[in-house]
Amino acid sequence: MILDLHTHSIKSDDGRAKVDNYCKWIHARSIPIDGFVLTEHRQFDFESDYSELAEEHSLTILKGSEVETEYGHVLVFGVTEDLVEEFDFSSIRIPLATVIESCERHGAVPVPCHPGRPRVGMSAHLQELGVPMGVRIVEVYNGGSRGAEDEIAQEMARTQGYLGIGGSDAHIVSHIGRCATRFNNSILNEQDLVAALEAGAFEPVTFRESSL
């Protein structure tokens, strides 16, 4: 099963895509993914229910978050109401250690995203801040990467022994599915996603050339 683990809808301040339009685009362009995760910026969207839309289009539509730390941006999968009480998701400088420790307590998974990107990627802060404790997975394929950003992320993952995921980082409809993650098992809900990530039963994939 292949999921795009990093997407944004109009719920994000810089997102311009409606979720139903993502679904229509996936089918119209035969994008080879089985679903996607909406990782809205600095929030978790408790309000939206995409279950009917997912059933209508035979897709898995899950929700996560993208938070901001001193090491750059971090995707969080398996967000719960208790986790949201642990730290301020809207802050632009949450300590990464707080995110990691809080996720461990509440069964969520933190994943630094686009880590090869200047300023908002983890690799840009390693020389100043050192290698953070507790990171296990990073995003090694990002659909919005430029130049050598993915290569920097992949080298960091090899050096530090991190597992890698892929995500499109789509903010507009036509970018969905540029990069994604292949799972060994079916992912039907956030709990399945967390379990698969914790088990390491996945690999990053890219369809960037075919989805431009």
Side-chain angles (χ1 to χ4, degrees):
M1 184 169 191
I2 300 176
L3 297 179
D4 183 341
L5 295 186
H6 187 176
T7 69
H8 300 276
S9 76
I10 55 174
K11 288 280 185 175
S12 287
D13 51 8
D14 58 351
R16 290 182 283 158
K18 294 182 178 179
V19 178
D20 60 334
N21 288 339
Y22 274 144
C23 297
K24 292 172 183 175
W25 184 268
I26 290 167
H27 288 300
R29 295 301 181 101
S30 299
I31 306 298
I33 62 174
D34 301 296
F36 52 94
V37 183
L38 295 157
T39 50
E40 311 295 7
H41 287 295
R42 300 179 301 279
Q43 61 178 297
F44 183 75
D45 177 18
F46 283 106
E47 300 176 347
S48 302
D49 182 353
Y50 298 114
S51 56
E52 290 187 7
L53 193 63
E55 184 175 357
E56 176 185 350
H57 292 277
S58 299
L59 292 168
T60 294
I61 304 176
L62 306 179
K63 295 186 289 186
S65 183
E66 183 175 346
V67 300
E68 301 185 20
T69 78
E70 81 277 27
Y71 277 92
H73 294 189
V74 177
L75 303 175
V76 180
F77 303 106
V79 179
T80 63
E81 292 184 2
D82 288 338
L83 179 59
V84 170
E85 296 297 321
E86 287 274 326
F87 57 86
D88 181 5
F89 273 50
S90 68
S91 172
I92 62 171
R93 199 168 176 83
I94 308 163
L96 178 58
T98 297
V99 175
I100 291 172
E101 292 165 6
S102 297
C103 286
E104 287 178 351
R105 281 195 294 273
H106 295 281
V109 176
V111 178
C113 53
H114 42 68
R117 192 168 298 174
R119 192 176 62 82
V120 297
M122 190 175 106
S123 65
H125 304 281
L126 295 182
Q127 185 172 357
E128 177 188 358
L129 302 176
V131 177
M133 299 292 292
V135 174
R136 293 183 52 249
I137 307 168
V138 297
E139 185 180 60
V140 296
Y141 285 140
N142 179 285
S145 288
R146 298 179 179 180
E149 289 175 2
D150 277 357
E151 287 78 6
I152 292 169
Q154 291 157 18
E155 178 59 27
M156 185 186 72
R158 283 191 292 269
T159 300
Q160 301 299 331
Y162 299 145
L163 300 175
I165 66 163
S168 67
D169 200 0
H171 289 69
I172 61 175
V173 169
S174 60
H175 289 181
I176 190 83
R178 284 183 165 186
C179 301
T181 305
R182 179 183 289 114
F183 293 91
N184 295 344
N185 300 315
S186 295
I187 308 295
L188 303 179
N189 51 49
E190 281 85 5
Q191 293 74 29
D192 289 346
L193 176 58
V194 166
L197 290 172
E198 289 182 338
F202 57 87
E203 63 176 344
V205 293
T206 180
F207 306 108
R208 194 173 293 153
E209 293 299 322
S210 61
S211 56
L212 286 172

